[in-house]
Amino acid sequence: MRVVKKAEERRNEILDAADELFSQKGFDGTSTNDILEKVGIARGTLYHHFKSKEDIMDALIERYNVRLLGAAEEIAADKSIPVVERIIHVVMALNISGGSSNEIMDHIHKPQNALMHQKIQKVIINSVTPILTGIIREGLEQGLFNTPFPYECMEMVVIYANTVFDDDMVQMTNEERILRIQAFVFNIERLLGVESGSLMHIMKVFGNGNRGIDE
């Protein structure tokens, strides 16, 4: 007897299979036939849910983004956490690690998955910047910061952190990374118009130079 599943259930089944195959073989190395065989469905069923393999990739990235951004948005909305600590916690929430998250980031960083990596970076830049900007605006109201460009400042911060602290983009030793982080925090202080050294405890987010935002 043919098994008929609800559309959402079947869609998630396809995504789960593609996620596993992409992690094993890479996006370019995985064919639609591979996905069909793993799920045990006809080609027409696959194309009923997704127009192409890239469409499947986009849907997978959307699932990753929900995980990445959901926790960050929840933290940003928690007014019981002081502003500066909230900024730190938001950045930490983006530092996904452990369990399946490691597999996700590992296969996104493979050369054959460069397009996936690029799309993840684009979402982080465009989605994280407004989250952090909202917190900065609270800090401005409280007199903690002094800048006429809260969004632009956070955009610079997110773009720098998302590229320089990405091992695929810039290769560096631990010593070089520590210097980059010190310079990063030093310049954040100037962007936000706060006293020199007042934000240096942000370095703990990066484990004193041993971790990046998406490692």
Side-chain angles (χ1 to χ4, degrees), residues 22-23 96 99-113 117 168 214-215:
F22 290 167
S23 83
I96 63 172
S100 62
S101 296
N102 284 337
E103 295 175 10
I104 289 169
M105 297 317 297
D106 282 346
H107 82 257
I108 285 172
H109 280 86
K110 290 177 182 176
Q112 63 266 37
N113 291 328
H117 191 191
D168 276 7
D214 68 350
E215 284 187 291

Side-chain angles (χ1 to χ4, degrees), residues 152-172:
E152 292 76 10
C153 287
M154 288 302 97
E155 188 175 57
M156 292 176 192
V157 166
V158 171
I159 289 173
Y160 184 89
N162 198 43
T163 53
V164 174
F165 296 132
D166 185 326
D167 287 338
D168 276 7
M169 302 292 288
V170 179
Q171 297 291 325
M172 65 185 87

Side-chain angles (χ1 to χ4, degrees), residues 60-71:
L60 267 178
I61 290 172
E62 180 59 32
R63 287 211 309 194
Y64 301 158
N65 292 337
V66 168
R67 293 177 58 188
L68 278 168
L69 302 176

Side-chain angles (χ1 to χ4, degrees), residues 139-158:
L140 289 168
E141 291 172 3
Q142 297 174 22
L144 299 174
F145 307 133
N146 179 25
T147 174
F149 305 110
Y151 184 91
E152 292 76 10
C153 287
M154 288 302 97
E155 188 175 57
M156 292 176 192
V157 166
V158 171

Side-chain angles (χ1 to χ4, degrees), residues 46-64:
L46 176 69
Y47 288 135
H48 173 73
H49 296 280
F50 301 101
K51 296 176 182 177
S52 64
K53 191 173 69 167
E54 183 166 323
D55 196 23
I56 295 173
M57 179 183 68
D58 287 339
L60 267 178
I61 290 172
E62 180 59 32
R63 287 211 309 194
Y64 301 158

